[in-house]
Each structure stands twice: as structure tokens, then as C-alpha cells.
Amino acid sequence: MTTTEMREPTFLVLAALADGRKHGYALIAEAAELSDGRVQLKVGTLYAALDRLGEQGLVEGAGDEVVAGRLRRYYKLTDVGALRLEEEAARLAANAASARAKLRSRTAAKVATA
């Protein structure tokens, strides 16, 4: 499957859904946790992303419930979404491995010239 690079917030939303369905605020909290606080999703941004990901077939609605008088809408990762997340995780891991190899080469070159 040929795909384009995934933006970090999208990656984090899909990653947050990888272990089961979640509602919006849980997704916001988990994205923050997964990114060590670097990514703070806004509510409007999250729901726009969920709509887009739904249109792409990567996530789907997974039910609603009322909690303390407020509607919680749940979302889950589709099989296509899981595949796309796996592809992106592999791409990022390959890039990180390449960068680490370059850093090792740089360190070895510095030691050799010292």
C-alpha cells in the first residue's frame, strides 16, 4: 500500500485507539500521554480529525452513552486503520534506525580522528 506520511496527531489518535474503543476526551488524554505532553489536541481539532479518519475508513463510530447527562461518542480503529498505523509505525522505526546508524558512524568517525 502506497501511503503518504502521517502527521503526528493523526498517528497518536490511531495509536490511542489500537487497544480498544475510546471517547473523545479519553483520546485527548491518551494522545498527550503517548507524546509525553508534547501534543495537546484541541476538541475541535480532534473531532475534525475523527471525521476525516472516518471518511478514510481508518476509524468508525463504536456507540454512544450518556454519562452525567452528557453524551459520549465512542470510536474504534478499523482493520484498515490498524494496517495503516502498523505501516506508519514501521516507517518511523526505519527512519529512527537509520538516524541511529548515522549517529553511530559519526561517533566512530570522531573517535577515529581523536
Side-chain angles (χ1 to χ4, degrees):
M1 175 188 279
T2 302
T3 55
T4 59
E5 177 180 312
M6 186 180 290
R7 297 186 62 194
E8 187 174 23
T10 300
F11 179 82
L12 293 171
V13 168
L14 295 179
L17 289 169
D19 63 351
R21 75 182 195 130
K22 292 187 178 61
H23 58 82
Y25 285 107
L27 288 169
I28 289 170
E30 190 150 352
E33 182 181 327
L34 289 169
S35 68
D36 290 326
R38 287 180 297 100
V39 175
Q40 297 290 325
L41 294 174
K42 304 285 187 222
V43 173
T45 302
L46 172 66
Y47 286 103
L50 288 168
D51 287 344
R52 178 178 45 80
L53 293 169
E55 290 169 5
Q56 295 171 353
L58 304 180
V59 302
E60 63 187 13
D64 299 331
E65 70 180 354
V66 176
V67 176
R70 297 185 60 131
L71 179 67
R72 280 189 182 167
R73 179 157 289 139
Y74 286 83
Y75 298 87
K76 68 179 182 178
L77 192 63
T78 64
D79 290 342
V80 172
L83 176 61
R84 181 66 184 94
L85 177 61
E86 177 59 40
E87 290 171 346
E88 185 65 8
R91 184 188 72 79
L92 292 170
N95 287 348
S98 294
R100 287 187 183 107
K102 291 288 189 177
L103 286 168
R104 283 191 301 274
S105 294
R106 179 178 188 268
T107 302
K110 278 187 155 189
V111 169
T113 60

Short mmCIF file of all heavy atoms in Angstrom, two decimals, residues 34-75:
data_model
loop_
_atom_site.label_atom_id
_atom_site.label_comp_id
_atom_site.label_asym_id
_atom_site.label_seq_id
_atom_site.Cartn_x
_atom_site.Cartn_y
_atom_site.Cartn_z
N LEU A 34 0.80 9.59 25.32
CA LEU A 34 1.68 8.93 24.35
C LEU A 34 2.80 9.83 23.87
O LEU A 34 3.88 9.36 23.53
CB LEU A 34 0.86 8.43 23.15
CG LEU A 34 -0.06 7.25 23.39
CD1 LEU A 34 -0.99 7.04 22.22
CD2 LEU A 34 0.75 5.99 23.68
N SER A 35 2.53 11.13 23.84
CA SER A 35 3.53 12.09 23.34
C SER A 35 4.30 12.76 24.47
O SER A 35 5.01 13.73 24.25
CB SER A 35 2.85 13.16 22.49
OG SER A 35 2.02 13.98 23.27
N ASP A 36 4.18 12.25 25.69
CA ASP A 36 4.82 12.86 26.86
C ASP A 36 4.45 14.33 26.99
O ASP A 36 5.29 15.16 27.34
CB ASP A 36 6.33 12.69 26.82
CG ASP A 36 6.77 11.24 27.03
OD1 ASP A 36 6.08 10.52 27.80
OD2 ASP A 36 7.76 10.81 26.43
N GLY A 37 3.20 14.65 26.65
CA GLY A 37 2.70 16.00 26.81
C GLY A 37 3.01 16.96 25.68
O GLY A 37 2.58 18.11 25.69
N ARG A 38 3.74 16.51 24.66
CA ARG A 38 4.08 17.40 23.54
C ARG A 38 2.87 17.74 22.68
O ARG A 38 2.80 18.82 22.12
CB ARG A 38 5.15 16.76 22.64
CG ARG A 38 6.54 16.74 23.22
CD ARG A 38 7.55 16.09 22.28
NE ARG A 38 7.23 14.68 22.03
CZ ARG A 38 6.62 14.21 20.96
NH1 ARG A 38 6.26 14.98 19.98
NH2 ARG A 38 6.36 12.91 20.84
N VAL A 39 1.95 16.80 22.54
CA VAL A 39 0.78 17.02 21.69
C VAL A 39 -0.44 17.18 22.59
O VAL A 39 -0.80 16.26 23.33
CB VAL A 39 0.58 15.86 20.70
CG1 VAL A 39 -0.70 16.03 19.90
CG2 VAL A 39 1.79 15.74 19.77
N GLN A 40 -1.04 18.35 22.52
CA GLN A 40 -2.25 18.66 23.28
C GLN A 40 -3.36 18.93 22.26
O GLN A 40 -3.46 20.03 21.73
CB GLN A 40 -2.03 19.90 24.16
CG GLN A 40 -0.96 19.72 25.21
CD GLN A 40 -1.38 18.76 26.31
OE1 GLN A 40 -2.53 18.70 26.70
NE2 GLN A 40 -0.41 17.99 26.81
N LEU A 41 -4.15 17.91 21.96
CA LEU A 41 -5.20 18.05 20.97
C LEU A 41 -6.33 18.94 21.49
O LEU A 41 -6.74 18.81 22.64
CB LEU A 41 -5.79 16.69 20.61
CG LEU A 41 -4.86 15.72 19.89
CD1 LEU A 41 -5.53 14.36 19.75
CD2 LEU A 41 -4.45 16.25 18.54
N LYS A 42 -6.81 19.83 20.66
CA LYS A 42 -7.99 20.63 20.97
C LYS A 42 -9.22 19.84 20.55
O LYS A 42 -9.17 19.02 19.62
CB LYS A 42 -7.95 21.96 20.22
CG LYS A 42 -6.70 22.77 20.48
CD LYS A 42 -6.75 23.40 21.84
CE LYS A 42 -5.58 24.34 22.02
NZ LYS A 42 -4.96 24.27 23.29
N VAL A 43 -10.33 20.08 21.20
CA VAL A 43 -11.55 19.33 20.92
C VAL A 43 -11.96 19.44 19.45
O VAL A 43 -12.23 18.43 18.80
CB VAL A 43 -12.70 19.80 21.85
CG1 VAL A 43 -14.02 19.16 21.46
CG2 VAL A 43 -12.37 19.48 23.30
N GLY A 44 -11.99 20.65 18.93
CA GLY A 44 -12.38 20.84 17.53
C GLY A 44 -11.45 20.14 16.56
O GLY A 44 -11.89 19.54 15.57
N THR A 45 -10.16 20.19 16.86
CA THR A 45 -9.16 19.52 16.01
C THR A 45 -9.36 18.01 16.04
O THR A 45 -9.31 17.34 15.01
CB THR A 45 -7.75 19.87 16.50
OG1 THR A 45 -7.58 21.29 16.45
CG2 THR A 45 -6.68 19.22 15.64
N LEU A 46 -9.62 17.48 17.24
CA LEU A 46 -9.82 16.04 17.37
C LEU A 46 -11.02 15.58 16.55
O LEU A 46 -10.93 14.61 15.79
CB LEU A 46 -10.02 15.65 18.83
CG LEU A 46 -10.44 14.18 19.03
CD1 LEU A 46 -9.32 13.23 18.61
CD2 LEU A 46 -10.86 13.94 20.47
N TYR A 47 -12.15 16.26 16.71
CA TYR A 47 -13.35 15.80 16.02
C TYR A 47 -13.26 15.99 14.51
O TYR A 47 -13.77 15.16 13.75
CB TYR A 47 -14.60 16.42 16.63
CG TYR A 47 -14.90 15.78 17.96
CD1 TYR A 47 -14.60 16.42 19.16
CD2 TYR A 47 -15.41 14.48 18.03
CE1 TYR A 47 -14.83 15.80 20.38
CE2 TYR A 47 -15.63 13.85 19.24
CZ TYR A 47 -15.35 14.52 20.41
OH TYR A 47 -15.56 13.89 21.61
N ALA A 48 -12.55 17.02 14.06
CA ALA A 48 -12.30 17.17 12.62
C ALA A 48 -11.44 16.01 12.13
O ALA A 48 -11.69 15.44 11.06
CB ALA A 48 -11.63 18.51 12.34
N ALA A 49 -10.43 15.64 12.92
CA ALA A 49 -9.58 14.52 12.55
C ALA A 49 -10.36 13.21 12.53
O ALA A 49 -10.21 12.39 11.62
CB ALA A 49 -8.39 14.41 13.51
N LEU A 50 -11.22 13.00 13.54
CA LEU A 50 -12.02 11.78 13.57
C LEU A 50 -12.97 11.69 12.38
O LEU A 50 -13.15 10.62 11.80
CB LEU A 50 -12.80 11.69 14.88
CG LEU A 50 -11.95 11.38 16.12
CD1 LEU A 50 -12.75 11.60 17.39
CD2 LEU A 50 -11.40 9.96 16.06
N ASP A 51 -13.55 12.83 11.98
CA ASP A 51 -14.40 12.84 10.78
C ASP A 51 -13.60 12.46 9.55
O ASP A 51 -14.03 11.63 8.74
CB ASP A 51 -15.03 14.23 10.58
CG ASP A 51 -16.13 14.54 11.57
OD1 ASP A 51 -16.64 13.60 12.23
OD2 ASP A 51 -16.48 15.73 11.69
N ARG A 52 -12.40 13.04 9.41
CA ARG A 52 -11.53 12.75 8.26
C ARG A 52 -11.11 11.28 8.27
O ARG A 52 -11.15 10.60 7.23
CB ARG A 52 -10.32 13.68 8.29
CG ARG A 52 -9.33 13.44 7.16
CD ARG A 52 -8.15 14.42 7.21
NE ARG A 52 -7.58 14.62 8.52
CZ ARG A 52 -6.73 13.79 9.13
NH1 ARG A 52 -6.35 12.68 8.53
NH2 ARG A 52 -6.26 14.07 10.33
N LEU A 53 -10.70 10.79 9.43
CA LEU A 53 -10.28 9.39 9.54
C LEU A 53 -11.43 8.44 9.27
O LEU A 53 -11.24 7.37 8.71
CB LEU A 53 -9.67 9.14 10.92
CG LEU A 53 -8.35 9.87 11.18
CD1 LEU A 53 -7.97 9.77 12.65
CD2 LEU A 53 -7.25 9.32 10.29
N GLY A 54 -12.65 8.85 9.66
CA GLY A 54 -13.83 8.05 9.34
C GLY A 54 -14.08 7.99 7.85
O GLY A 54 -14.39 6.92 7.30
N GLU A 55 -13.94 9.12 7.18
CA GLU A 55 -14.11 9.17 5.72
C GLU A 55 -13.08 8.30 5.02
O GLU A 55 -13.36 7.73 3.97
CB GLU A 55 -14.01 10.61 5.22
CG GLU A 55 -15.18 11.48 5.62
CD GLU A 55 -14.95 12.95 5.35
OE1 GLU A 55 -13.92 13.32 4.75
OE2 GLU A 55 -15.81 13.76 5.75
N GLN A 56 -11.90 8.19 5.60
CA GLN A 56 -10.82 7.37 5.02
C GLN A 56 -10.96 5.90 5.39
O GLN A 56 -10.18 5.07 4.93
CB GLN A 56 -9.46 7.89 5.48
CG GLN A 56 -9.13 9.27 4.98
CD GLN A 56 -7.87 9.85 5.63
OE1 GLN A 56 -7.28 9.28 6.56
NE2 GLN A 56 -7.44 10.99 5.12
N GLY A 57 -11.93 5.58 6.24
CA GLY A 57 -12.14 4.20 6.64
C GLY A 57 -11.17 3.70 7.70
O GLY A 57 -11.05 2.50 7.91
N LEU A 58 -10.47 4.62 8.39
CA LEU A 58 -9.49 4.22 9.39
C LEU A 58 -10.08 4.09 10.79
O LEU A 58 -9.56 3.34 11.61
CB LEU A 58 -8.32 5.22 9.40
CG LEU A 58 -7.62 5.43 8.06
CD1 LEU A 58 -6.49 6.43 8.20
CD2 LEU A 58 -7.10 4.12 7.49
N VAL A 59 -11.14 4.84 11.07
CA VAL A 59 -11.86 4.73 12.34
C VAL A 59 -13.35 4.68 12.04
O VAL A 59 -13.79 5.07 10.95
CB VAL A 59 -11.56 5.89 13.32
CG1 VAL A 59 -10.08 5.98 13.63
CG2 VAL A 59 -12.08 7.20 12.81
N GLU A 60 -14.11 4.24 13.02
CA GLU A 60 -15.57 4.23 12.88
C GLU A 60 -16.19 4.43 14.25
O GLU A 60 -15.56 4.20 15.28
CB GLU A 60 -16.06 2.94 12.23
CG GLU A 60 -15.78 1.70 13.02
CD GLU A 60 -16.15 0.43 12.27
OE1 GLU A 60 -16.39 0.48 11.05
OE2 GLU A 60 -16.18 -0.63 12.91
N GLY A 61 -17.43 4.85 14.22
CA GLY A 61 -18.18 5.01 15.46
C GLY A 61 -18.34 3.67 16.14
O GLY A 61 -18.49 2.64 15.49
N ALA A 62 -18.31 3.71 17.49
CA ALA A 62 -18.42 2.47 18.25
C ALA A 62 -19.41 2.63 19.40
O ALA A 62 -19.23 2.09 20.47
CB ALA A 62 -17.05 2.05 18.76
N GLY A 63 -20.46 3.42 19.15
CA GLY A 63 -21.51 3.55 20.14
C GLY A 63 -21.47 4.86 20.91
O GLY A 63 -20.47 5.59 20.88
N ASP A 64 -22.58 5.14 21.54
CA ASP A 64 -22.74 6.34 22.36
C ASP A 64 -23.27 5.91 23.72
O ASP A 64 -23.90 4.88 23.86
CB ASP A 64 -23.79 7.29 21.76
CG ASP A 64 -23.44 7.78 20.37
OD1 ASP A 64 -22.25 7.89 20.06
OD2 ASP A 64 -24.38 8.05 19.60
N GLU A 65 -23.01 6.76 24.73
CA GLU A 65 -23.62 6.56 26.04
C GLU A 65 -23.72 7.92 26.72
O GLU A 65 -22.97 8.84 26.42
CB GLU A 65 -22.85 5.58 26.90
CG GLU A 65 -21.52 6.05 27.40
CD GLU A 65 -20.80 5.01 28.27
OE1 GLU A 65 -21.37 3.96 28.58
OE2 GLU A 65 -19.66 5.27 28.64
N VAL A 66 -24.66 8.03 27.61
CA VAL A 66 -24.84 9.26 28.38
C VAL A 66 -24.21 9.04 29.74
O VAL A 66 -24.55 8.09 30.45
CB VAL A 66 -26.32 9.65 28.49
CG1 VAL A 66 -26.48 10.89 29.36
CG2 VAL A 66 -26.92 9.88 27.11
N VAL A 67 -23.29 9.92 30.10
CA VAL A 67 -22.60 9.86 31.39
C VAL A 67 -22.76 11.23 32.04
O VAL A 67 -22.37 12.25 31.46
CB VAL A 67 -21.11 9.52 31.22
CG1 VAL A 67 -20.39 9.55 32.56
CG2 VAL A 67 -20.94 8.16 30.55
N ALA A 68 -23.35 11.26 33.22
CA ALA A 68 -23.56 12.52 33.95
C ALA A 68 -24.29 13.55 33.08
O ALA A 68 -23.94 14.72 33.07
CB ALA A 68 -22.25 13.07 34.47
N GLY A 69 -25.26 13.06 32.31
CA GLY A 69 -26.06 13.95 31.48
C GLY A 69 -25.39 14.41 30.20
O GLY A 69 -25.95 15.22 29.47
N ARG A 70 -24.22 13.89 29.91
CA ARG A 70 -23.50 14.29 28.69
C ARG A 70 -23.31 13.08 27.77
O ARG A 70 -23.02 11.98 28.24
CB ARG A 70 -22.14 14.88 29.03
CG ARG A 70 -22.24 16.15 29.86
CD ARG A 70 -20.90 16.75 30.07
NE ARG A 70 -20.31 17.06 28.78
CZ ARG A 70 -19.75 18.21 28.47
NH1 ARG A 70 -19.70 19.17 29.36
NH2 ARG A 70 -19.23 18.42 27.28
N LEU A 71 -23.45 13.32 26.49
CA LEU A 71 -23.29 12.26 25.51
C LEU A 71 -21.81 12.00 25.26
O LEU A 71 -21.04 12.92 25.02
CB LEU A 71 -23.96 12.65 24.19
CG LEU A 71 -23.85 11.62 23.06
CD1 LEU A 71 -24.64 10.36 23.41
CD2 LEU A 71 -24.34 12.22 21.76
N ARG A 72 -21.42 10.73 25.36
CA ARG A 72 -20.08 10.31 24.98
C ARG A 72 -20.19 9.49 23.71
O ARG A 72 -20.91 8.49 23.68
CB ARG A 72 -19.44 9.43 26.06
CG ARG A 72 -18.88 10.16 27.20
CD ARG A 72 -18.09 9.21 28.08
NE ARG A 72 -17.58 9.91 29.23
CZ ARG A 72 -17.07 9.32 30.29
NH1 ARG A 72 -17.00 8.00 30.34
NH2 ARG A 72 -16.63 10.03 31.30
N ARG A 73 -19.50 9.90 22.70
CA ARG A 73 -19.46 9.16 21.45
C ARG A 73 -18.13 8.41 21.40
O ARG A 73 -17.08 9.00 21.60
CB ARG A 73 -19.58 10.12 20.26
CG ARG A 73 -19.52 9.40 18.93
CD ARG A 73 -20.17 10.19 17.83
NE ARG A 73 -21.62 10.16 18.07
CZ ARG A 73 -22.41 11.22 17.91
NH1 ARG A 73 -21.93 12.36 17.52
NH2 ARG A 73 -23.70 11.11 18.14
N TYR A 74 -18.20 7.12 21.15
CA TYR A 74 -17.01 6.28 21.13
C TYR A 74 -16.59 6.00 19.69
O TYR A 74 -17.41 5.94 18.77
CB TYR A 74 -17.28 4.95 21.84
CG TYR A 74 -17.34 5.11 23.33
CD1 TYR A 74 -18.51 5.52 23.96
CD2 TYR A 74 -16.22 4.86 24.12
CE1 TYR A 74 -18.56 5.68 25.33
CE2 TYR A 74 -16.27 5.01 25.50
CZ TYR A 74 -17.44 5.42 26.10
OH TYR A 74 -17.49 5.59 27.45
N TYR A 75 -15.29 5.77 19.54
CA TYR A 75 -14.69 5.48 18.24
C TYR A 75 -13.79 4.26 18.39
O TYR A 75 -13.28 3.98 19.48
CB TYR A 75 -13.84 6.67 17.75
CG TYR A 75 -14.68 7.90 17.56
CD1 TYR A 75 -14.92 8.77 18.61
CD2 TYR A 75 -15.26 8.16 16.32
CE1 TYR A 75 -15.73 9.88 18.44
CE2 TYR A 75 -16.06 9.28 16.15
CZ TYR A 75 -16.29 10.13 17.21
OH TYR A 75 -17.08 11.23 17.04
#
